[in-house]
Amino acid sequence: KAGVTQTPRYLIKTRGQQVTLSCSPISGHRSVSWYQQTPGQGLQFLFEYFSETQRNKGNFPGRFSGRQFSNSRSEMNVSTLELGDSALYLCASSFGQTPSYEQYFGPGTRLTVT
Amino acid sequence: GDSVTQMEGPVTLSEEAFLTINCTYTATGYPSLFWYVQYPGEGLQLLLKATKADDKGSNKGFEATYRKETTSFHLEKGSVQVSDSAVYFCALRMSQGGSEKLVFGKGTKLTVNP
């Protein structure tokens, strides 16, 4: 069974630009969550989607947005990039929503903002 | 709010030494608890989990027991190997109003020397 895939793996953007990251969950998984990982803040929750609906959102500005498609694939978008947005963005999928379902993580997209 | 506190690293051990990484949590309900491992340049991999009090999760020689009375989920391994060198994250997962959220500790970097 294929794991969670994220594209692209690496990305370099300049301040003010926007970026779209993609995540394909494990087949059959309907829940997709996004996390930002930085050396200073650690792993922080961005948002979670289930059946194309955003179910939960972390404490990030409105520049961060996402969506989920009918095939459970998800994208996240960051507009008006800032230097502080440089991070590893991780996507995770799970079969269901209850806490007993573990999340499986993708390898991440390394975003560098210059 | 819900939070996870884990011992700060880095932790450096010799091969075959005993490993303990402490993790305590604060949660308003009864979370599921997880340990994830991140190898250099990779995403997170689920190491083990426990979904209720007194459950013991185990995998690859690692163990952790869900202790409700001490709100702890300490990770242990009897004999570490060089290949165990990685960053370890303790996490809890709660349902909040029907949605999911993983809350991570800051991570503990483990280095095992031959």
Side-chain angles (χ1 to χ4, degrees), chain B residues 1 16 18 23 33 37 44-45 53 60 63 65 70 73-74 76 80-82 86-87 100:
Chain B
E16 299 184 3
F18 184 85
C23 171
L33 300 174
V37 58
L44 275 69
Q45 298 177 25
K60 299 181 182 179
E63 293 183 340
T65 301
T70 54
F73 193 55
H74 305 321
E76 297 182 335
V80 293
Q81 306 299 314
V82 172
V87 181
E100 288 291 291

Side-chain angles (χ1 to χ4, degrees), chain A residues 14-19 63 77-83 85:
Chain A
T14 56
R15 276 181 299 175
Q17 287 187 313
Q18 75 160 17
V19 66
R63 300 184 297 107
N77 184 278
V78 188
S79 62
T80 320
L81 284 165
E82 300 177 0
L83 294 178
D85 297 333

Side-chain angles (χ1 to χ4, degrees), chain A residues 28-105:
Chain A
H29 285 192
R30 294 192 295 161
S31 175
V32 173
S33 298
W34 288 88
Y35 298 85
Q36 181 196 64
Q37 185 178 24
T38 59
Q41 299 299 317
L43 278 153
Q44 293 187 287
F45 172 77
L46 279 158
F47 26 65
E48 181 237 345
Y49 288 87
F50 184 82
S51 294
E52 302 179 65
T53 301
Q54 186 180 91
R55 305 303 297 267
N56 199 1
K57 191 176 192 303
N59 295 324
F60 279 82
R63 300 184 297 107
F64 291 81
S65 63
R67 60 178 175 169
Q68 187 180 32
F69 302 94
S70 59
N71 61 359
S72 295
R73 190 177 70 84
S74 178
E75 289 181 346
M76 68 163 281
N77 184 278
V78 188
S79 62
T80 320
L81 284 165
E82 300 177 0
L83 294 178
D85 297 333
S86 295
L88 180 67
Y89 290 88
L90 294 166
C91 164
S93 75
S94 63
F95 178 77
Q97 280 193 287
T98 61
S100 60
Y101 287 111
E102 59 261 34
Q103 294 190 331
Y104 294 87
F105 283 78

